[in-house]
Amino acid sequence: MIRLALLPPHEPDRWWLALADSLASRGDVDALWVSDRPAGDDRLGWLPVSAPAGTDAAAPTGAAAAGPAPQRAALVVDVRAPRADVVAAMAAELPVLMVTDGPLDATAEALARRAHRLLVPAAVVARALPPDLPVAVVPAMLDGLDLTEGADRRLDGAPTVAVLGAPLSDHVRLAWAPMQQRWADAVLVGDLDALEPAARATVLADAHVVIVLDAGGAALAEALASGATVIAHAEPAAAAVLTHGTNGLLTDARSPELLAGSLAYALGYHERLVEVRRAGRALAWERFSTATLAARVLAELDLAAQAAGRGAGSGSAVAPVVAVPDEPALTPTRSVI
């Protein structure tokens, strides 16, 4: 049994709530939610972080309170979590994974250096962090990510193309001009990132093609989950996920000519690309669904423990996302967590 103490930020975001849900559904993990706000899942133990030691409120409630003694224990901590002093003290005894989705201030960076691995939602975040931190990319979860199989949408001579990951650029507008000459009723929808999640999901549900200008964050996952043909700018973050012609299309979106060629292909051969779209949705499930998040966090914890055992707890490489081993060999500790 693996017991994890989860220390989310004061206002847990969707990544943390998805992690709590996916851990609670596993039979080999007891998760203790350390926060003044419960995670809302009775399967999780809950320990209010502000409760004074020695009081009844300080005792964990829920599944973690009555579970068997853990064989392995660890901490998963957001850099914005409260009680950094407690985290620092426990880090000397337990394997620690820290989570961030943006730049670190001095206090958070010092705390991150005591962790075994720093989890980030995208390669673009990893590149902005100090190069000597041990960083791993674990994709963020999405609000309203619909991965149910739906009917492939027909083009019917009036295609809709949506743009995710960055504001509508001049390169896209120039590439779009010849599309309007061929498809007079075509619609281009930009600046989707500024929309509320529900409105963005509605646009994506109607899109035949989604252009992803920056694959960082949730953009590529949303595009793949939408069931549209995905055209992504061929940056490393996108190329590490997509296989050109198999589950999406890669192009240089900064070149109007090349992007126009990819758009013409995606629209002109829409009926023939149905298998590409289906493979894209399958990839979204494999890489970005809530069901896979716990496995990836546990896999990164396993890698961190192995690195610590070899005395290699630091480095600049961004670790790839890997499948969780059948029996993670995490370092046993003396902690009661």
Side-chain angles (χ1 to χ4, degrees):
M1 180 65 65
I2 302 171
R3 181 161 291 173
L4 298 181
L6 307 179
L7 278 71
H10 291 284
E11 298 290 340
D13 57 22
R14 60 191 181 220
W15 191 98
W16 277 95
L17 296 176
L19 177 62
D21 176 74
S22 51
L23 287 172
S25 65
R26 294 177 62 103
D28 60 344
V29 176
D30 277 341
L32 178 65
W33 185 261
V34 185
S35 173
D36 286 332
R37 297 185 180 184
D41 193 320
D42 293 338
R43 296 172 297 179
L44 294 175
W46 175 42
L47 179 65
V49 71
S50 62
T55 66
D56 292 339
T61 63
Q71 296 176 345
R72 308 174 183 92
L75 294 173
V76 185
V77 186
D78 196 287
V79 296
R80 299 164 294 173
R83 300 297 301 272
D85 56 330
V86 174
V87 176
M90 299 175 79
E93 184 179 349
L94 290 169
V96 176
L97 295 179
M98 298 207 70
V99 181
T100 186
D101 60 0
L104 305 176
D105 59 26
T107 301
E109 182 176 337
L111 197 58
R113 293 186 182 281
R114 303 194 65 167
H116 286 79
R117 200 172 296 272
L118 185 65
L119 305 183
V120 298
V124 64
V125 176
R127 291 194 292 269
L129 295 170
D132 58 332
L133 288 177
V135 176
V137 177
V138 177
M141 293 296 100
L142 309 173
D143 288 326
L145 179 60
D146 183 8
L147 292 168
T148 58
E149 186 66 34
D152 193 67
R153 64 206 64 162
R154 297 181 58 83
L155 193 60
D156 294 329
T160 296
V161 176
V163 180
L164 270 175
L168 202 60
S169 66
D170 291 339
H171 304 93
V172 177
R173 291 189 179 93
L174 289 171
W176 182 246
M179 303 305 109
Q180 288 187 299
Q181 295 176 9
R182 182 172 177 181
W183 292 277
D185 296 328
V187 176
L188 178 67
V189 184
D191 299 328
L192 262 67
D193 299 83
L195 299 178
E196 292 296 323
R200 187 167 62 246
T202 298
V203 173
L204 291 174
D206 294 331
H208 298 89
V209 177
V210 178
I211 301 172
V212 180
L213 298 179
D214 183 348
L220 187 57
E222 285 184 293
L224 290 168
S226 73
T229 302
V230 176
I231 300 176
H233 179 55
E235 59 179 330
V241 175
L242 290 181
T243 300
H244 179 72
T246 299
N247 44 38
L249 305 175
L250 294 169
T251 191
D252 185 353
R254 294 168 299 188
S255 167
E257 295 80 9
L258 293 176
L259 181 56
S262 296
L263 273 170
Y265 177 77
L267 295 175
Y269 291 92
H270 178 80
E271 301 302 327
R272 300 185 188 180
L273 294 176
V274 60
E275 293 302 326
V276 171
R277 291 189 287 276
R278 287 175 179 169
R281 288 178 64 83
L283 180 62
W285 176 267
E286 175 189 343
R287 292 292 297 262
F288 302 108
S289 70
T290 299
T292 65
L293 178 56
R296 294 181 185 184
V297 170
L298 292 174
E300 291 300 339
L301 183 59
D302 184 35
L303 292 175
Q306 292 178 26
R310 296 191 302 267
S314 62
S316 60
V318 176
V321 175
V322 297
V324 64
D326 292 335
E327 185 65 26
L330 304 184
T331 304
T333 74
R334 292 174 286 105
S335 174
V336 297
I337 291 181

